[in-house]
Amino acid sequence: MEHSASRAFGLAPQRHPSLNAGGTMKNSVLRSLLAGSLVFGSLAAFAADQPNILFLFSDDHALQAISAYSGGRLNRTPHIDRIASEGMLFTNSFCSNSICGPSRACILTGKHSHLNGFLDNDSSRFDGAQTTFPKLLQHAGYQTSLIGKWHLVSDPTGFDYWEILPGQGDYYNPDFLQMDGSRKRYEGYCSDIITGLALDWLEQKRDAGKPFLLMAQHKAPHRNWAPPERYLRLFDEGDLPEPSTLFDDYNGRSKLLAENEMTIARHMHWGHDMKFHGENRFLEHFLGGIGNGEYNRMTEAQKAAWDAAYEPKNQAFIEAMEAGTLSDADVVRWKYQRYIKDYLRCIQAMDDGIGRILDYLDQSGLSRNTIVIYSSDQGFYLGEHGWYDKRWMFEESFAMPFLIRWPGVIEPGTRSTALIQNIDYGPTLLEVAGVSVPGEMQGRSFRTVLENGGYAPEDWRDALYYAYYGERTHHVAAHDGIRTLRHKLMFFPRTNEWQLFDLQHDPREMRSVHDDPAYRQTLANLQERYRELRDENEVNSAVIPGSRLTEEWWRERWREKNEQTREGPAELLFVGDSITQSWEGPGKELWEARYAPRRAVNLGFSGDRTEHVLWRLRTGQFGGTRPKAAVVMIGTNNTGHRQQAAAETAAGIRAVVMELRTRFPEMPVLLLGVFPRGETAADPLRRLNAEINGIIATAASEDPKVEYLDIGQVFLEEDGTLSKEIMPDFLHLSGEGYRRWSEAIEEPLRRLGGFEELK
C-alpha cells in the first residue's frame, strides 16, 4: 500500500524514485505504466524457441587479465576466450558505477544507481520489490536460477532457485545461504564449488521443458586473492610485466587522485593482502590490523600446501629487508608481483570452471539454443597508476568485459566497438527472449548490434553517463562524468573541478586537458552533453543520498548522534544544517531551557545539503528513539553551494520528510520553510529559497502528518531586510534569532507532539 507521505509529496520513496521534482511522473515511468499490458499481459506471446541464457559473472575481473582482450600479456584464459572466438567481444563495454553491489543492481534493474537505490556498499540495501529482468523472464515462462555471489544485502527475488554467498563470501570452504534461511558449508575452493552447483542445477534441478536463465556468479578474483592449492605456484618461474604507470605521481590531474587509499605502495596489508603470518615486521611498507582470514578457514592439509608455497618466498623477502638490500621501489615491485600473481591464480581456477560448464553445454546438446555471456561487475587496477581496486572512472575500472556467444545469430570471432553499459544487459536479454522492455529501464537493448555483425545502428548513443557516490573505503572522491568513443569528461563536486582526457592521444589518462586552450570548444561541447545526459537519466543530486565521511568532524558528529539516538530516549528531532546545529551555539541557552527537557536531539550538521540529511537518516541508528515530533529545516545549502534549481531542492526536502515518515509512520513532522537569506528581498539566493518554499508548501498540505510553516517573516524588518542583529552574516541566526525561532514554533510543537507547556 502506498504510504500517505508519498501521496502527499508527489514522490515515491527514494528506493522507488519514479517522480520528478514537481511531483509529476517521468516520461519513462509513464511509458512503463501505459505499457503494463504489454509487459505483464502478453508475455506468453513469444516464440517457442526462446534461447536459454547462461550468464557467467565474476567480481573485479580486469580486461588486462583476459587474453581475448590483452593478447596474453599477463595470462591466458582459454575458456573465456572461447566465448569470444565463438561469439562477439565488446571493446567499449562500461559500468555505471564501479563498485560491486551497485553494478549488480544496475544489471538487474536496467537503471542507474540513483534510481535503483543501491548507491554504494556502505549503506545500501537492494529493494527486491522493484522490477528486474529475471522477474520479467520468470513471468514469461523462464526458469530462473542464481548461484554464487550476490552481495546486495537483501535476499534475491525473481529466482526459482538460489544459493548464494553471504556478503563477499570466502574462497576456502565457503558458506552458502540457502532459500530456507539456513547456511551450508562446502569443503573446497569457492570457484570450483560454484561451478559444481551450477552444473548440478543444469543437470538435476532444472525443468527441461522450460527455457532457463542461470546466473552463475563467482567471488573470484575479488580481494584478498586466495588461490586454490593447484595454482599456488603458478607464475613462479619469473616476474610478470609491470604497468608503465606503476609509479604514477598524479601530476597533470586533480589532487584528489593522490588522496585515495588503494595504492600498492602504501595501502596493502601484511596479512590480508601479502600473505605473511604474525605481526607486521615493516610498518613503513605494510598496513597491519587485518590478518589472512582465508588461512583461518583452511583444513590442516590446505594450510600445509599454502605454507609450502608461500613461506619460503616470505622468508626470503624478510631476510632481504633485514639485510637492507631492497629500496622503497623494490618493495613496491615485490608487492606488485605478489598481488598480480595471486590475482591471476584466482582467475585461472575460475576459467577452469567456465570450461567445465561450456563442455557440459556441448555434451548435453544445450549449446545450440543457449546464449552464453561472460562479464564482470567492473574492471580493476592491476598496478596502473600505482593502484589496486576500482571506483574511479579511469579506464581500467570503468571498463567491463562483455563477451557473448549466440549460435546461429552472432558470427564467430566478431568484435564490436559499440558503446554499451551494464544497464543495457537486462533490456537486451528481455528483447532476445521476446519480452517487452519496461519504460522505467534506462538501458537500451543492443540486440541489433548482436545481429548486425557488431555494428551499432545509426541512432545508437554517442556517450555514456557514469557516477560514483563515494565510500569511506579507499577514500575515492565522489565524481561523475561521460565518455564518448574518444573523450572522457569527469566532474568532482568536492573541488568543483573538471577533468578532460583525450583517449586517442592519451590512452593511459596521464594528463587532463580541461584547461588546454586547444580543447576549449571540446570541453564546452562535452559539458553540454554531460548536462543533457544527467537530465535524460533523471539525475538530481538533491535526492541522491551522499555522506561526508571523509571529513573527520562530520564523521565524529555522525557517530555521536547515532549513539544518542540508538540509546535514547529521544522524543523530539531537529533535522537540518548549520542553522539547526547552532542551537548548540547562539541558541544553546534556549535549547537547554525549552528542548532538552523534551528529550530533543539536534541532528543539524553544518554544511549539509538535502542529500547529506538523506544519507544520515538512511544509515542512522534509531533503536532508542521514539519521537513525538520532528522539526525539519533544510535546503539553503543546496541554494548557496550550487544554486540548484528550486524544483530539485524541493524534491530533496520532500525526500527527507518522506524518509522520516517512512521510518516513523506515526510521527508528525513540522516542516519549516527555508529561512530567508541575503540582506534584501532582491538577493537572488533569497528569491531561490522563496521559490523552494512555494513548492513544498503546496505538497505538504496534502498529508495530515506533515504541517508546513513558513516563519521567515519573524526574522525580517518591516522593509523586508535582514538585520545583522538577527542574522550577522545574513544567513546564520544570532541568539535573538533563535529566540524568535523558538517562539514561532512553540504552539505547533505542543499541538503536534503533545508536549506540555514549559514554565
Side-chain angles (χ1 to χ4, degrees):
M1 180 176 293
E2 186 185 29
H3 197 281
S4 61
S6 64
R7 292 194 299 272
F9 279 84
L11 277 173
Q14 177 61 22
R15 53 190 65 86
H16 294 297
S18 57
L19 303 183
N20 68 11
T24 59
M25 287 191 176
K26 288 287 188 182
N27 291 336
S28 62
V29 182
L30 277 174
R31 289 196 301 270
S32 176
L33 294 175
L34 292 173
S37 60
L38 293 176
V39 177
F40 295 107
S42 58
L43 289 175
F46 48 78
D49 61 346
Q50 285 177 297
N52 303 309
I53 301 167
L54 173 62
F55 187 86
L56 300 167
F57 201 58
S58 63
D59 196 308
D60 295 344
H61 195 174
L63 271 62
Q64 313 92 285
I66 300 173
S67 45
Y69 278 97
S70 68
R73 177 179 175 272
L74 288 173
N75 64 327
R76 289 284 175 184
T77 50
H79 304 298
I80 295 174
D81 292 0
R82 180 180 161 191
I83 301 172
S85 64
E86 297 174 356
M88 185 179 295
L89 177 150
F90 282 80
T91 60
N92 285 309
S93 168
F94 298 96
C95 60
S96 303
N97 182 353
S98 184
I99 190 71
C100 305
S103 180
R104 294 160 194 269
C106 290
I107 290 169
L108 289 168
T109 63
K111 296 186 289 192
H112 283 284
S113 301
H114 64 277
L115 290 190
N116 67 49
F118 203 99
L119 299 171
D120 56 51
N121 289 335
D122 282 348
S123 60
S124 299
R125 179 184 181 88
F126 185 68
D127 178 12
Q130 61 189 308
T131 301
T132 64
F133 85 86
K135 283 184 182 179
L136 297 176
L137 289 178
Q138 185 185 48
H139 192 79
Y142 272 74
Q143 190 175 19
T144 57
S145 177
L146 170 69
I147 294 168
K149 182 170 177 179
W150 172 243
H151 203 207
L152 290 172
V153 187
S154 59
D155 285 345
T157 58
F159 296 96
D160 299 299
Y161 178 84
W162 56 263
E163 192 167 0
I164 60 172
L165 295 166
Q168 294 285 4
D170 292 287
Y171 280 107
Y172 274 81
N173 310 319
D175 296 327
F176 281 76
L177 298 177
Q178 308 296 304
M179 295 182 72
D180 63 3
S182 64
R183 289 192 180 209
K184 183 176 181 180
R185 179 165 296 189
Y186 294 89
E187 184 172 323
Y189 190 70
C190 189
S191 296
D192 300 337
I193 292 165
I194 289 170
T195 296
L197 292 172
L199 287 169
D200 179 65
W201 186 83
L202 286 169
E203 293 182 73
Q204 306 294 332
K205 293 186 171 68
R206 73 180 181 89
D207 182 346
K210 292 183 176 182
F212 68 78
L213 165 70
L214 169 59
M215 301 181 76
Q217 306 196 153
H218 287 275
K219 170 187 173 62
H222 194 278
R223 191 181 181 203
N224 67 343
W225 314 298
E229 295 169 73
R230 65 184 180 275
Y231 287 135
L232 289 175
R233 291 183 171 84
L234 183 65
F235 306 114
D236 272 4
E237 63 276 8
D239 285 347
L240 292 172
E242 298 172 359
S244 62
T245 60
L246 179 61
F247 293 96
D248 191 351
D249 61 7
Y250 313 120
N251 282 334
R253 288 146 295 169
S254 170
K255 65 180 182 180
L256 295 172
L257 272 62
E259 294 181 6
N260 78 90
E261 297 180 0
M262 46 184 259
T263 66
I264 292 173
R266 302 189 312 277
H267 303 111
M268 284 196 148
H269 289 259
W270 175 259
H272 182 67
D273 298 310
M274 297 288 98
K275 316 302 193 300
F276 290 102
H277 291 315
E279 292 298 317
N280 183 358
R281 300 280 294 274
F282 308 105
L283 297 176
E284 68 274 26
H285 293 290
F286 300 90
L287 297 177
I290 306 178
N292 184 1
E294 292 294 338
Y295 187 84
N296 297 331
R297 300 183 63 84
M298 296 177 188
T299 65
E300 292 305 312
Q302 290 166 341
K303 288 180 179 179
W306 183 275
D307 287 339
Y310 282 101
E311 280 306 291
K313 290 173 279 191
N314 290 352
Q315 292 307 312
F317 173 80
I318 291 172
E319 290 172 9
M321 287 291 288
E322 291 177 338
T325 60
L326 298 179
S327 68
D328 289 351
D330 291 334
V331 175
V332 172
R333 290 190 166 99
W334 188 92
K335 289 194 283 187
Y336 168 75
Q337 293 297 328
R338 170 58 56 92
Y339 158 47
I340 192 62
K341 291 178 179 180
D342 283 345
Y343 177 88
L344 297 176
R345 290 161 180 156
C346 294
I347 288 170
Q348 212 65 40
M350 181 181 66
D351 191 66
D352 290 347
I354 289 171
R356 289 174 58 196
I357 294 177
L358 294 178
D359 288 345
Y360 171 76
L361 294 180
D362 289 345
Q363 294 159 9
S364 64
L366 286 171
S367 291
R368 291 188 298 273
N369 194 37
T370 299
I371 291 174
V372 178
I373 293 169
Y374 178 76
S375 186
S376 185
D377 48 9
Q378 60 266 323
F380 211 68
Y381 297 100
L382 304 184
E384 296 86 6
H385 307 294
W387 296 332
Y388 65 91
D389 210 69
K390 53 259 184 178
R391 293 172 169 81
W392 293 108
M393 196 185 172
F394 293 103
E395 290 291 280
E396 290 83 6
S397 61
F398 182 31
M400 298 173 67
F402 191 87
L403 308 92
I404 180 169
R405 186 181 78 181
W406 189 3
V409 177
I410 295 176
E411 185 72 22
T414 308
R415 295 172 79 89
S416 176
T417 60
L419 283 170
I420 66 168
Q421 201 162 21
N422 54 358
I423 58 173
D424 300 330
Y425 297 0
T428 301
L429 294 177
L430 290 173
E431 188 176 20
V432 162
V435 180
S436 296
V437 180
E440 68 189 86
M441 288 190 173
Q442 296 175 298
R444 179 177 176 182
S445 169
F446 51 84
R447 176 176 177 167
T448 56
V449 178
L450 303 178
E451 296 173 333
N452 193 33
Y455 293 100
E458 289 186 4
D459 64 346
W460 194 248
R461 63 165 64 95
D462 65 340
L464 297 169
Y465 176 73
Y466 173 89
Y468 171 72
Y469 298 94
E471 292 182 348
R472 190 180 176 198
T473 305
H474 297 304
H475 292 277
V476 172
H479 59 287
D480 69 351
I482 65 169
R483 189 196 192 280
T484 68
L485 286 171
R486 176 170 173 174
H487 295 102
K488 182 182 296 177
L489 181 71
M490 302 182 196
F491 178 69
F492 294 94
R494 179 150 68 90
T495 53
N496 197 33
E497 187 176 21
W498 296 97
Q499 300 279 274
L500 173 61
F501 297 94
D502 185 334
L503 301 172
Q504 179 176 306
H505 296 302
D506 181 21
R508 293 184 177 87
E509 299 167 289
M510 299 297 287
R511 184 175 77 91
S512 174
V513 293
H514 65 282
D515 57 357
D516 186 332
Y519 286 87
R520 184 176 294 113
Q521 190 58 52
T522 299
L523 175 64
N525 293 342
L526 288 171
Q527 287 173 328
E528 178 61 26
R529 191 73 185 103
Y530 165 84
R531 289 186 284 268
E532 291 172 353
L533 280 180
R534 281 174 58 92
D535 185 60
E536 290 172 17
N537 287 296
E538 306 174 16
V539 180
N540 174 8
S541 61
V543 300
I544 301 172
S547 78
R548 296 166 61 196
L549 288 173
T550 55
E551 300 174 51
E552 184 177 356
W553 79 266
W554 194 95
R555 184 170 67 249
E556 291 307 312
R557 182 172 176 84
W558 176 66
R559 288 174 175 167
E560 173 192 327
K561 295 303 177 181
N562 270 348
E563 182 177 351
Q564 193 175 356
T565 53
R566 181 178 62 247
E567 295 181 358
E571 296 182 356
L572 176 59
L573 304 178
F574 275 74
V575 179
D577 50 35
S578 59
I579 301 173
T580 296
Q581 182 176 344
S582 289
W583 278 109
E584 299 169 6
K588 185 174 182 179
E589 185 176 343
L590 273 169
W591 180 275
E592 294 297 328
R594 286 194 167 174
Y595 304 123
R598 293 165 173 172
R599 295 175 175 172
V601 177
N602 186 338
L603 298 181
F605 283 51
S606 178
D608 268 12
R609 299 186 295 272
T610 55
E611 56 264 39
H612 304 127
V613 176
L614 272 175
W615 189 91
R616 288 196 278 116
L617 294 176
R618 292 262 176 103
T619 59
Q621 300 171 39
F622 294 96
T625 305
R626 300 292 181 269
K628 297 178 180 179
V631 179
V632 176
M633 205 287 291
I634 189 66
T636 200
N637 287 324
N638 297 68
T639 297
H641 293 174
R642 295 179 173 173
Q643 296 189 33
Q644 197 159 11
E648 291 187 358
T649 302
I653 296 170
R654 294 187 189 110
V656 167
V657 173
M658 284 211 31
E659 191 66 34
L660 285 166
R661 296 282 288 111
T662 300
R663 188 174 284 275
F664 305 109
E666 300 305 315
M667 179 189 72
V669 174
L670 179 60
L671 174 61
L672 300 181
V674 186
F675 288 176
R677 61 182 299 166
E679 186 175 7
T680 71
D683 184 277
L685 299 187
R686 190 196 293 194
R687 293 168 65 182
L688 191 52
N689 282 357
E691 188 179 352
I692 294 167
N693 290 343
I695 298 171
I696 63 175
T698 301
S701 65
E702 300 176 19
D703 184 352
K705 288 286 187 181
V706 179
E707 181 168 316
Y708 173 77
L709 181 63
D710 186 352
I711 65 171
Q713 289 296 324
V714 306
F715 306 120
L716 301 176
E717 302 301 306
E718 289 185 3
D719 62 358
T721 61
L722 283 170
S723 74
K724 290 189 175 183
E725 285 70 33
I726 303 301
M727 287 189 180
D729 60 355
F730 304 122
L731 175 61
H732 297 92
L733 297 171
S734 64
E736 172 60 20
Y738 282 98
R739 186 194 66 76
R740 295 185 185 189
W741 181 356
S742 181
E743 292 293 337
I745 65 173
E746 180 62 18
E747 186 280 327
L749 267 188
R750 291 204 306 268
R751 174 167 40 81
L752 293 172
F755 295 107
E756 294 182 2
E757 184 174 1
L758 296 175
K759 305 299 183 183

